[in-house]
């Protein structure tokens, strides 16, 4: 009995110390909170208490941008969960391991750990974490520029949020969707979703951390800047930066500095932009945000190009390309090839120009970043987009124009989709670009003849057929286009339309 009472007292003391650390942390006394939690971790013999305090340490280090320490604690937490032999604890610990790798831009590892979480047979508690798992996986796919899978994961996360009435999760997903559409250059949706997140914070966030408001304001600032509303962008970014400084949120500080620099670059105030890029670069390097470093170097490159310093621009591009290659960030590589094209066109170096046009087009095909109706690439300019249930993207105007006559452009149906069409000066060198993926360019199957059938216009040609870039499919027979009812884009469209 005495042993039991001593163990119970130990549990109570552990709980009290954890609560003390939380109170300090919420009062912005972060270092004191970390010292309290570290002492608990060193002294406590209670595995459940150790698991909980490890969760606190993981969260705190994530918000401070200490991602390597976050990963270290996540690994220890998995060992603790195995000691407890509880599937719910194990699911949560693998989620934290996935998040740690997501922050460190190890996206393939993130996806692997998320799949491990989803395959675990836990209780209702574990199932409630699936929305957060789907969000983390979506962010990882977005980091790899795998847009279809990213949207599918965000849709699942939203579905979990709605089913469990989880407003915090919905807010986080809306911020990720804002980032998603900003990358695809549908700036109307890029602004709408963070505005929706801000609305959720105002309506339900009385007891929430201020980081939710700060993140929504940051993503609004990004969208406003891209829409040319620079004063609004500056206001939102200043509010986000104020909260980030107040809470010692280094990752958000770096993002805000990047946004400030982009705003000044948009104003052609290059001398004011450069110091902010440098500050952002310093923090991004410190915390290990390689994806953010690519964005900073892209901004720096554009500044050098404005100043006609093309050799310095190429130096920044080389550094960014090394990072993008290492991460597998295909959109970053596409942007870099686009900038190189402009530079080499200006310098009159035709061979280098052709090489980068070829690589640009290969990136477009690999990411399937083009409308299956008009053939124009997606992400080159601001356009409203629509995702169908298969999660393929089309220009909204193309779907509206063809809604009464065209067949449903589903990747698994008998519908031949147009191949990407280059516009402007890229078209002049397009005939030299090899076609790596003939047939239905939006088909996701590894064997298109099995997916479509040999008679389908989207099926791959026989091996003896010549590969032609310029040949485009004509729409085959199929059902009329209808609004998506489920799958990719369905829930996001319901939110967007206010239904």
């Amino acid at each position: 009995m005495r042993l039991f009472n001593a163990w119970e007292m130990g549990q109570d003391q552990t709980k009290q110390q954890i609560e003390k650390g939380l109170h300090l942390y919420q009062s912005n006394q972060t270092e004191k909170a970390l010292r309290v939690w570290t002492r608990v971790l060193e002294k406590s013999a209670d595995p459940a208490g150790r698991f909980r305090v490890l969760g606190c340490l993981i969260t705190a280090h994530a918000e401070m941008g200490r991602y390597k320490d976050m990963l270290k604690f996540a690994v220890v937490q998995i060992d603790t969960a195995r000691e407890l032999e509880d599937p719910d604890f194990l699911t949560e610990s693998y989620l934290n391991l996935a998040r740690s790798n997501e922050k460190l831009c190890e996206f393939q590892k993130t996806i692997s750990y998320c799949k491990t979480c989803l395959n675990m047979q836990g209780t209702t508690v574990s199932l409630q974490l699936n929305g957060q798992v789907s969000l983390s996986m979506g962010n990882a796919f977005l980091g790899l520029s795998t847009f279809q899978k990213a949207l599918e994961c965000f849709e699942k996360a939203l579905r979990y949020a709605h089913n469990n009435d989880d407003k915090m999760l919905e807010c986080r997903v809306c911020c990720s969707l804002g980032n998603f559409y900003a990358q695809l250059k549908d700036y109307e949706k890029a602004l709408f979703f963070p505005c929706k997140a801000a609305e959720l914070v105002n309506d339900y966030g009385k007891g929430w951390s201020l980081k939710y408001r700060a993140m929504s304001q940051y993503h609004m600032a990004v969208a406003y800047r891209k829409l040319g509303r620079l004063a609004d962008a500056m206001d939102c970014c200043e509010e986000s930066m104020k909260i980030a400084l107040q809470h010692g949120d280094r990752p958000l500080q770096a993002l805000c500095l990047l946004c400030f620099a982009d705003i000044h670059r948009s104003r052609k105030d290059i001398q004011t932009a450069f110091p902010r890029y440098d500050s952002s670069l310093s923090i991004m390097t410190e915390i290990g945000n390689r994806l953010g470093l690519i964005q900073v170097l892209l901004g720096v490159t554009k500044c050098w190009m404005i100043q006609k310093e093309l050799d310095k621009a190429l130096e920044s591009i080389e550094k960014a390309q090394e990072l993008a290659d290492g991460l597998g960030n295909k959109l970053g590589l596409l942007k870099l090839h686009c900038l190189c094209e402009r530079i080499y066109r200006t310098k009159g170096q035709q061979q280098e120009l052709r090489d980068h046009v070829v690589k640009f087009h290969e990136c477009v095909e690999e990411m399937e970043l083009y409308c299956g109706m008009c053939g124009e690439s997606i992400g080159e300019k601001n356009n409203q987009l629509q995702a169908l249930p298969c999660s393929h993207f089309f220009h909204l105007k193309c779907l509206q124009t063809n809604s009464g006559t065209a067949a449903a452009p589903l990747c698994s149906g008998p519908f031949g989709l147009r191949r990407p069409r280059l516009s402007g000066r890229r078209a002049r060198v397009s005939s030299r670009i090899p076609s790596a993926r003939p047939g239905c360019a939006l088909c996701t199957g590894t064997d298109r003849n099995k997916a479509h059938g040999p008679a389908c216009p989207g099926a791959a040609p026989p091996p003896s057929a010549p590969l032609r870039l310029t040949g485009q499919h004509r729409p085959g027979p199929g059902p009329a286009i209808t609004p998506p009812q489920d799958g990719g884009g369905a829930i996001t469209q319901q939110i967007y339309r206010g239904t």
Side-chain angles (χ1 to χ4, degrees):
M1 178 64 74
R2 287 178 181 176
L3 286 173
F4 180 78
N5 287 339
W7 177 74
E8 195 173 49
M9 285 177 63
Q11 276 190 317
D12 290 340
Q13 288 177 353
T14 298
K15 185 177 180 181
Q16 289 172 6
Q17 290 299 304
I18 291 172
E19 294 299 327
K20 178 182 177 182
L22 284 171
H23 178 73
L24 290 167
Y25 186 72
Q26 290 164 358
S27 303
N28 293 326
Q29 301 180 63
T30 304
E31 293 300 331
K32 288 184 179 179
L34 291 177
R35 286 196 291 270
V36 169
W37 288 331
T38 303
R39 283 198 300 270
V40 172
L41 190 62
E42 291 169 351
K43 296 180 179 179
S44 177
D46 171 31
R50 285 171 57 83
F51 184 90
R52 189 181 174 204
V53 78
L54 281 164
C56 294
L57 287 165
I58 289 166
T59 301
H61 283 89
E63 294 188 359
M64 290 186 293
R66 299 177 185 174
Y67 297 143
K68 291 182 180 178
D69 290 330
M70 178 188 180
L71 178 61
K72 179 185 70 175
F73 288 120
V75 172
V76 176
Q77 192 183 48
I78 282 185
D79 294 335
T80 307
R82 286 173 177 155
E83 182 183 344
L84 288 163
E85 297 181 346
D86 186 308
D88 291 336
F89 284 131
L90 200 57
T91 301
E92 185 177 340
S93 61
Y94 268 104
L95 172 59
N96 284 328
L97 187 58
R99 284 174 173 165
S100 303
N101 280 281
E102 178 198 330
K103 299 297 184 184
L104 288 166
C105 301
E106 295 288 350
F107 298 126
Q108 295 291 358
K109 290 182 181 179
T110 302
I111 293 165
S112 177
Y113 290 128
C114 285
K115 288 179 178 178
T116 300
C117 291
L118 295 173
N119 290 332
M120 286 182 178
Q121 300 297 320
T123 64
T124 307
V125 176
S126 292
L127 293 175
Q128 289 175 350
L129 292 175
N130 283 353
Q132 298 179 45
V133 174
S134 296
L135 174 60
S136 187
M137 189 185 293
N139 289 333
F141 277 125
L142 188 57
L144 295 170
S145 308
T146 312
F147 294 103
Q148 289 176 304
K149 291 183 179 179
L151 181 62
E152 289 168 3
C153 290
F154 293 147
E155 284 277 317
K156 288 177 184 176
L158 274 179
R159 192 172 292 114
Y160 282 115
H162 290 170
N163 291 343
N164 295 302
D165 197 28
D166 188 340
K167 301 300 182 185
M168 283 188 182
L169 176 59
E170 185 178 350
C171 180
R172 290 169 57 200
V173 177
C174 283
C175 287
S176 289
L177 283 166
N179 182 27
F180 178 90
Y181 281 107
Q183 291 192 31
L184 291 178
K185 294 193 176 181
D186 182 344
Y187 297 146
E188 185 176 320
K189 289 188 181 71
L191 178 60
F192 170 82
F193 282 105
C195 285
K196 177 66 177 177
E199 183 182 313
L200 289 167
V201 172
N202 290 334
D203 292 345
Y204 303 99
K206 188 175 181 180
W208 297 5
S209 166
L210 283 173
K211 70 177 183 180
Y212 290 96
R213 179 168 183 80
M215 282 307 300
S216 63
Q217 291 295 313
Y218 162 73
H219 286 289
M220 287 168 63
V222 170
Y224 278 133
R225 203 273 303 177
K226 290 180 179 292
L227 286 165
R229 296 170 59 178
L230 302 184
D232 291 329
M234 185 65 78
D235 289 343
C236 290
C237 199
E238 285 176 348
E239 183 172 353
S240 182
M241 187 60 154
K242 181 180 178 181
I243 297 171
L245 290 170
Q246 181 182 344
H247 288 266
D249 190 335
R250 296 286 281 169
L252 185 55
Q253 289 172 27
L255 291 173
C256 288
L257 284 166
L258 171 58
C259 189
F260 282 134
D262 285 338
I263 291 169
H264 289 297
R265 174 171 57 80
S266 297
R267 290 172 170 170
K268 300 294 188 289
D269 187 358
I270 305 303
Q271 297 308 316
T272 306
F274 268 130
R276 284 151 183 79
Y277 281 128
D278 288 341
S279 298
S280 180
L281 187 74
S282 176
I283 299 176
M284 297 280 192
T285 304
E286 171 197 325
I287 66 180
N289 185 353
R290 290 174 289 165
L291 195 60
L293 284 172
I294 295 171
Q295 300 305 313
V296 173
L297 289 168
L298 280 167
V300 170
T301 299
K302 292 173 183 176
C303 285
W304 287 127
M305 290 174 70
I306 290 171
Q307 293 192 325
K308 310 297 183 185
E309 297 278 2
L310 301 186
D311 290 333
K312 291 182 179 179
L314 287 171
E315 289 176 12
S316 296
I317 286 174
E318 186 178 350
K319 294 176 185 176
Q321 187 165 356
E322 184 179 348
L323 287 166
D325 277 327
L327 294 181
N329 181 245
K330 295 182 283 291
L331 184 64
L333 288 170
L334 181 145
K335 291 180 178 180
L336 291 167
H337 292 314
C338 186
L339 291 174
C340 283
E341 176 208 336
R342 290 167 55 190
I343 291 171
Y344 287 120
R345 192 180 300 281
T346 301
K347 292 168 76 75
Q349 297 178 224
Q350 294 301 314
Q351 184 56 52
E352 290 83 356
L353 167 64
R354 292 189 187 95
D355 290 344
H356 285 285
V357 172
V358 168
K359 291 174 182 177
F360 172 89
H361 188 63
E362 287 172 349
C363 286
V364 171
E365 281 214 345
E366 187 177 357
M367 290 186 288
E368 300 177 347
L369 271 185
Y370 48 88
C371 177
M373 288 189 171
C374 69
E376 294 288 347
S377 58
I378 288 171
E380 279 197 88
K381 57 185 178 181
N382 184 15
N383 264 313
Q384 290 190 52
L385 305 175
Q386 172 71 57
L388 294 188
C390 57
S391 294
H392 284 130
F393 291 94
F394 297 84
H395 293 129
L396 179 60
K397 62 182 180 182
C398 293
L399 288 176
Q400 290 172 340
T401 302
N402 295 282
S403 61
T405 58
L410 302 175
C411 56
S412 59
F415 189 95
L417 296 175
R418 291 181 182 271
R419 301 181 55 74
R421 186 174 70 212
L422 296 179
S423 59
R425 290 172 290 189
R426 290 196 189 101
R428 287 199 277 273
V429 291
S430 65
S431 60
R432 292 181 171 82
I433 301 175
S435 177
R437 298 185 61 191
C440 178
L442 299 190
C443 178
T444 57
T446 55
D447 188 336
R448 279 187 289 275
N449 287 326
K450 288 182 179 179
H452 292 274
C456 175
S464 59
L467 304 183
R468 293 194 181 100
L469 174 69
T470 55
Q472 295 181 342
H473 299 307
R474 294 184 180 276
I481 293 176
T482 56
Q485 298 301 315
D486 197 6
I491 294 182
T492 53
Q493 288 302 317
Q494 289 174 14
I495 295 174
Y496 183 65
R497 293 168 183 163
T499 58

